[in-house]
Amino acid sequence: MSTPVRDTEQVGAAADALVAAFTEGRLDDYFGAFAPDATFVFHSTPQRLSSTAEYRALWQEWIDQDDFRVLGCTSTGQLIQHFGSTAVFTHDVETTVSTSAGQETVHERETIVFARAADGSWPAVHEHLSARTAG
């Protein structure tokens, strides 16, 4: 039987693994951290992405068109909130990326919603990324 402390540890481990895969460019692991029907809302994208496959296809477009690469990512201010078999993970992220235009460091806030699966794992089912303002 799961306990709130154990659930928090498991969600924290799932979030840490997701962020590490993103940071290290391990795309199979990164996209594998999401449920196939996960949704994505990004401030830099005009439409909601309706599946992990749709997000992965967009990522490939970024690579093909702009030589997009993640060079580093730091996660701070992490908070995990539980709501039954759902957990909301929020944090601030500082990500350095490289494109054909050069390097850029972006400051954002991110919410990732995790849902406990039948096997006890915690796949991400929704991600929302917004620009973080100074202050």
Side-chain angles (χ1 to χ4, degrees), residues 28-117:
D28 289 340
D29 293 338
Y30 174 62
F31 288 108
F34 294 95
D37 59 349
T39 55
F40 304 86
V41 176
F42 304 132
H43 64 96
S44 59
T45 304
Q47 75 282 2
R48 178 183 58 236
L49 304 174
S50 299
S51 70
T52 300
E54 188 176 348
Y55 177 24
R56 188 161 192 162
L58 178 62
W59 188 291
Q60 189 61 50
E61 283 182 33
W62 295 338
I63 292 171
D64 294 344
Q65 294 173 4
D66 297 322
D67 195 24
F68 176 81
R69 288 180 296 130
V70 174
L71 301 178
C73 179
T74 303
S75 168
T76 59
Q78 297 177 352
L79 174 67
I80 297 171
Q81 298 170 281
H82 283 280
F83 302 96
S85 61
T86 303
V88 177
F89 171 77
T90 54
H91 63 150
D92 294 325
V93 288
E94 179 179 294
T95 305
T96 302
V97 298
S98 174
T99 65
S100 54
Q103 288 187 18
E104 176 183 14
T105 299
V106 292
H107 304 271
E108 298 164 309
R109 287 195 178 121
E110 183 173 51
T111 300
I112 302 173
V113 179
F114 293 88
R116 186 182 312 117

